[in-house]
Amino acid sequence: DTEVTQTPKHLVMGMTNKKSLKCEQHMGHRAMYWYKQKAKKPPELMFVYSYEKLSINESVPSRFSPECPNSSLLNLHLHALQPEDSALYLCASSQDLTNKNIQYFGAGTRLSVL
Amino acid sequence: GDSVTQMEGPVTLSEEAFLTINCTYTATGYPSLFWYVQYPGEGLQLLLKATKADDKGSNKGFEATYRKETTSFHLEKGSVQVSDSAVYFCALSDREETSGSRLTFGEGTQLTVNP
């Protein structure tokens, strides 16, 4: 099983709302990632967790707050977003951070900020 | 820093045509190389990978060979189908000393196959 599950699939929120994106994997992977993808562009790395600790933050605005409550779950908390934050948000996981490990992606959450 | 350059799209082919999508890379270490595919409205799926020079990755009729001498990882398929219509991303993963590996993606190539 190489499945990464993301919920919800679609999300519409206003600029004053607070919402969360969820990601789950049961492959025993110890590295998990959040990416942002705009239309017709490659994914852009936002955050990396390794063994439930934040390893990389790509200078993401504080209105995005990641959380890794355990090795199977990754959340992205959203607050006071801007319309330009509308995008597809992808979660991925890999066995660990060595470069020979494949990153497996979820189907994404399509976010619209009004 | 690391970079990946893919041939620009979009690419439009007829069914059963031969496909090549060029990919070249720049990396300081010994990267692993990947092709990911993204179907409309979906996330990325790994298509194939190669972890060292001269490795050939293959899956679903697609092939790519890791060529260190030309720093290339071109994607090929002998006979495309309508169902192959998607965006294809070439990517590399190169371990960084301080923060672990990350994927560097090319810009993506949109492939449309007509019946």
Side-chain angles (χ1 to χ4, degrees), chain B residues 2 11 15-16 24 33 39 41 43 58-59 63 67 69 77 102 111-112:
Chain B
D2 295 345
V11 174
E15 208 165 21
E16 299 184 4
T24 57
L33 301 174
Y39 298 102
S58 61
N59 186 26
E63 292 183 342
R67 301 282 189 204
E69 64 275 14
K77 186 176 186 182
R102 65 178 68 214
L111 170 67
T112 300

Side-chain angles (χ1 to χ4, degrees), chain A residues 33 35 42-45 56 58 99 101 103 105, chain B residues 1-6 23-28 31-36 44 73 88-96 100-108:
Chain A
Y33 311 75
Y35 289 86
E44 300 173 18
L45 184 65
I56 297 173
E58 290 285 6
N99 71 357
N101 285 309
Q103 288 188 29
F105 285 80
Chain B
D2 295 345
S3 67
V4 175
T5 303
Q6 283 182 240
C23 172
T24 57
Y25 68 90
T26 303
T28 53
S32 295
L33 301 174
F34 306 89
W35 277 101
Y36 281 89
L44 275 68
F73 192 54
Y88 291 81
F89 290 99
C90 184
L92 71 81
S93 176
D94 197 5
R95 180 167 179 82
E96 296 179 2
S101 65
R102 65 178 68 214
L103 279 176
T104 299
F105 287 95
E107 287 296 306

Side-chain angles (χ1 to χ4, degrees), chain B residues 44-108:
Chain B
L44 275 68
Q45 299 176 25
L46 178 72
L47 184 58
L48 52 85
K49 71 178 178 79
T51 58
K52 61 183 188 300
D54 299 324
D55 268 2
K56 177 187 279 189
S58 61
N59 186 26
K60 300 181 182 178
F62 291 90
E63 292 183 342
T65 301
Y66 188 162
R67 301 282 189 204
K68 198 169 191 304
E69 64 275 14
T70 54
T71 61
S72 64
F73 192 54
H74 305 320
L75 182 67
E76 296 182 338
K77 186 176 186 182
S79 176
V80 293
Q81 305 300 312
V82 172
S83 57
D84 294 326
S85 298
V87 180
Y88 291 81
F89 290 99
C90 184
L92 71 81
S93 176
D94 197 5
R95 180 167 179 82
E96 296 179 2
E97 291 299 326
T98 56
S99 57
S101 65
R102 65 178 68 214
L103 279 176
T104 299
F105 287 95
E107 287 296 306

Side-chain angles (χ1 to χ4, degrees), chain A residues 19 23-24 33 37 39-41 46 50 53 56-57 63 65 69-70 77 79 82-83 94 99 102 108 114:
Chain A
K19 297 286 185 183
C23 174
E24 190 168 4
Y33 311 75
Q37 187 181 25
K40 301 187 186 301
K41 289 293 186 182
M46 300 174 71
S50 175
K53 288 186 172 24
I56 297 173
N57 176 344
R63 58 186 184 269
S65 175
N70 62 56
H77 303 298
H79 173 56
Q82 304 298 308
S94 64
N99 71 357
I102 300 165
L114 304 179

